[in-house]
Amino acid sequence: MNKLNQKMIKIEKYLQRQKGEFKLFALFLRDGSLWDVFASETLSAINQFMPVGKKIAEIHDNNFFCLDIKQAFFFSPSRKKSLQ
C-alpha cells in the first residue's frame, strides 16, 4: 500500500470520528487535474466498485458523474463493530 493510500485511510478514520460513518470514501484522478476526494453518507450509483474482501479497490479509465476519471481508489468503509 502506498503512502497516499495510508494517509487517506488515516484521514477517513479521523473524519468518521468527527462526522460519522461514510458509505463512500474515494480518490479520483482526472486528466490534467489533482486528486479529488469524494466522501458521502449515500451514493448507491457506484457501490459496484466498493472493495469486497479488501481495503482498497483501484480502477482506471472510467467515467463517473460525466467526468472522465484516469484513476480512482475506493476505500472500504470502516465498519464499527456492534456491541449487541
Side-chain angles (χ1 to χ4, degrees), residues 26-38:
L27 287 176
F28 290 161
L29 179 62
R30 294 180 283 149
D31 278 332
S33 178
L34 299 175
W35 287 98
D36 294 317
V37 178
F38 285 77

Side-chain angles (χ1 to χ4, degrees), residues 29-31 61-71:
L29 179 62
R30 294 180 283 149
D31 278 332
D61 302 316
N62 216 312
N63 186 292
F64 293 99
F65 315 112
C66 299
L67 299 173
D68 290 326
I69 304 299
K70 181 178 179 178
Q71 183 179 16

Side-chain angles (χ1 to χ4, degrees), residues 1 5-13 56 75:
M1 185 181 324
N5 290 343
Q6 290 173 350
K7 287 179 183 180
M8 292 310 300
I9 288 171
K10 287 180 183 179
I11 290 169
E12 177 197 16
K13 288 178 181 180
I56 301 171
F75 298 87

Side-chain angles (χ1 to χ4, degrees), residues 12 15-24 39-42 77-81:
E12 177 197 16
L15 290 173
Q16 281 186 351
R17 286 192 302 270
Q18 303 298 314
K19 301 292 181 182
E21 184 176 309
F22 296 110
K23 298 291 183 192
L24 169 70
S40 175
E41 295 347 19
T42 58
S78 302
R79 302 285 184 221
K80 295 179 183 176
K81 294 184 179 178

Side-chain angles (χ1 to χ4, degrees), residues 24 43-52 57 59 62-64 74:
L24 169 70
L43 273 179
S44 60
I46 59 175
N47 277 342
Q48 63 183 332
F49 297 102
M50 294 305 293
V52 176
I59 64 162
N62 216 312
N63 186 292
F64 293 99
F74 293 87

